[in-house]
Amino acid sequence: MQTCSDRASGTMPSGHTARIESIDAILVDLPTIRAHKLAMTTMMRQTLCIVRLRCSDGIEGLGEATSIGGLAYGPQGPEGIKLTIDAYLAPLLAGADATNVNAAMAMAGRAVQGHSFAKSAIETALLDAQGKRLGLPVHALLGGAVREELPVLWTLASGDSARDIAEAQQLIAERRHRVFKLKIGSGDPDRNVLHVGAIKQALGPDIRITVDVNQAWDESTATRCIARLQDLSVDLVEQPIPRTNRMGLARLAARFDVPIMADEAIDGPEDAFDLAREGAADVFALKISKAGGLFATLRTAAVGDAAGISLYGGTMLEGSIGSIASAHAFAACPQLRWGTELFGPLLLQDDVVQARPVYRDFCLQLPHAPGLGVDLDTDKLDFYRRDRTSVAVAAAPPAATAATETQGA
Ligand code: MUC
Ligand code: MG
């Protein structure tokens, strides 16, 4: 009997000729435009793990995975992602049928437990290559986009209320963002609430405000503070308590009208199923890396849909490649009631692509070119890669591509 592994490793004729020749994982360190202060860390730079997957037909696919503050957000960080790819996934998949994404990822799933971030980057690269091969955008490979542009919020996280207010006012005036997420959970919880109140009052009732506590509160602190956040008309409270306290999340979701969103508590479809069964979240934050790829993200979304839970397109603060990969998946979700936070490229001073994503009228525009629709800038890759050794590399970065190609109407 022929199995998936037969298909992926090429013992079953499939009518296609492209094989995976090599997979490179490259760490790239990019400065952020300002300090990004979260409950568990303050980011001054972001590390991308860029995947270059080369195929025997000459096509190259791109993928990306990031973490937030190294290992501060969760157990998968960029160095571990690269190691997993270099030591396990790249040798395993060398020679596999590059045109059969499902078979290749099933093979990866059998050989490597967990490591969803590395798998997401590999699956992204396979889909990019297959889209280029077939002349189709990645969202078409996922069954088609149900939206052409994705609403994008901005995270206010400078660590200073006055600076956050000025930043928000400028972004509203530029028509770049009109929903803001506040990163709280660091320091005194009562001061966190005062900070939210000051920003809410300055921006007025028409501007939606969400908060992300990144697991920092215990349940009694959360109960006390969410009551006050609800009185301030905050629109959404994200991951207020540790991800492991699902019963606590369920109690908060039952107690408050303000929706409670699971982020760290949900990786893929299995978590979605458990959270739905336990009534532990009103909203799910989808992220391609947490789920282990674009297809698994759609399966997670399907569980949310089936349970009547609202969906949100989350980010691991990816650069352009990872954010656009996420955009293709989120564009294919039938329901995306809470929009997205795919602003990662805008937080970076520079990136390793030729043209950065287009943000216009509060939305990220979905690319339609074959594959992801993002091209690598190899000069920038050489400049920013952590292992750069060549003396020939310029001391200054190549001219930065604009963070926003198009603003306003
Ligand atoms: C998170 O926890 O949601 C998303 C936006 C941001 O600023 O950080 C991320 C991580
Ligand atoms: Mg979060």
Side-chain angles (χ1 to χ4, degrees), residues 36 38 68 73 155 181 183 212 214 238 263-264 287 315 317 341 343:
H36 198 61
L38 296 79
I68 291 177
Y73 174 95
T155 295
K181 162 160 148 174
K183 285 291 191 180
D212 190 355
N214 281 116
E238 179 173 343
D263 180 10
E264 285 89 334
K287 297 184 183 177
T315 181
L317 300 177
E341 56 180 15
F343 66 85

Side-chain angles (χ1 to χ4, degrees), residues 61-83:
L62 300 174
E64 182 195 320
T66 55
S67 71
I68 291 177
L71 292 170
Y73 174 95
Q76 300 182 66
E79 296 79 11
I81 295 167
K82 174 173 165 52
L83 179 75

Side-chain angles (χ1 to χ4, degrees), residues 4-357:
C4 280
S5 106
D6 294 329
R7 284 181 208 108
S9 59
T11 54
M12 177 176 179
S14 63
H16 299 291
T17 52
R19 304 258 148 222
I20 298 174
E21 281 195 334
S22 65
I23 304 177
D24 288 323
I26 302 148
L27 295 183
V28 163
D29 296 308
L30 298 170
T32 56
I33 56 170
R34 58 150 165 74
H36 198 61
K37 190 171 186 309
L38 296 79
M40 61 292 188
T41 190
T42 299
M43 298 170 66
M44 302 299 293
R45 65 171 195 181
Q46 176 59 310
T47 302
L48 321 180
C49 182
I50 301 292
V51 166
R52 301 183 72 176
L53 183 147
R54 295 179 178 90
C55 306
S56 58
D57 55 359
I59 292 177
E60 176 177 332
L62 300 174
E64 182 195 320
T66 55
S67 71
I68 291 177
L71 292 170
Y73 174 95
Q76 300 182 66
E79 296 79 11
I81 295 167
K82 174 173 165 52
L83 179 75
T84 305
I85 294 172
D86 289 349
Y88 296 96
L89 293 170
L92 175 82
L93 293 173
D97 182 354
T99 70
N100 191 333
V101 180
N102 286 340
M105 294 313 295
M107 193 178 175
R110 279 193 301 276
V112 175
Q113 297 300 315
H115 295 281
S116 60
F117 287 41
K119 289 175 183 168
S120 173
I122 298 274
E123 190 195 80
T124 298
L126 283 164
L127 285 167
D128 184 36
Q130 182 68 351
K132 288 169 179 163
R133 190 171 288 121
L134 299 178
L136 293 171
V138 166
H139 58 78
L141 302 181
L142 302 177
V146 296
R147 54 189 69 77
E148 289 301 314
E149 48 181 29
L150 296 145
V152 178
L153 63 64
W154 177 254
T155 295
L156 299 170
S158 72
D160 176 77
S161 305
R163 185 166 173 190
D164 283 352
I165 290 166
E167 193 172 290
Q169 285 168 336
Q170 185 184 337
L171 294 171
I172 295 164
E174 288 173 3
R175 299 180 60 78
R176 215 182 75 183
H177 305 280
R178 60 181 161 195
V179 180
F180 297 94
K181 162 160 148 174
L182 310 189
K183 285 291 191 180
I184 58 173
S186 167
D188 177 19
D190 294 310
R191 289 179 70 92
N192 288 175
V193 174
L194 291 176
H195 168 74
V196 177
I199 293 178
K200 184 77 193 160
Q201 191 183 6
L203 300 183
D206 296 340
I207 298 300
R208 278 163 61 179
I209 297 288
T210 73
V211 299
D212 190 355
V213 191
N214 281 116
Q215 317 185 70
W217 291 338
D218 60 25
E219 191 178 343
S220 60
T221 305
T223 303
R224 184 166 58 81
C225 292
I226 294 172
R228 292 171 61 197
L229 293 170
Q230 186 168 274
D231 288 346
L232 290 170
S233 299
V234 161
D235 289 276
L236 181 71
V237 175
E238 179 173 343
Q239 200 66 55
I241 60 174
R243 63 181 186 84
T244 45
N245 187 1
R246 289 214 174 138
M247 286 173 67
L249 276 177
R251 283 188 286 271
L252 295 173
R255 181 174 189 131
F256 293 108
D257 291 338
V258 58
I260 305 294
M261 179 157 79
D263 180 10
E264 285 89 334
I266 178 169
D267 286 341
E270 297 80 8
D271 290 321
F273 183 78
D274 286 345
L275 289 165
R277 193 185 46 196
E278 294 160 9
D282 303 297
V283 186
F284 288 162
L286 306 172
K287 297 184 183 177
I288 60 170
S289 51
K290 290 191 303 176
L294 287 72
F295 285 116
T297 299
L298 294 179
R299 290 199 297 277
T300 312
V303 176
D305 276 338
I309 290 169
S310 303
L311 301 175
Y312 174 73
T315 181
M316 287 302 292
L317 300 177
E318 290 96 346
S320 298
I321 295 169
S323 297
I324 289 298
S326 304
H328 285 288
F330 298 155
C333 289
Q335 178 251 117
L336 198 66
R337 204 159 291 134
W338 284 88
T340 81
E341 56 180 15
L342 293 179
F343 66 85
L346 299 167
L347 191 63
L348 302 176
Q349 283 184 27
D350 202 1
D351 207 333
V352 293
V353 296
Q354 289 177 26
R356 295 224 244 168

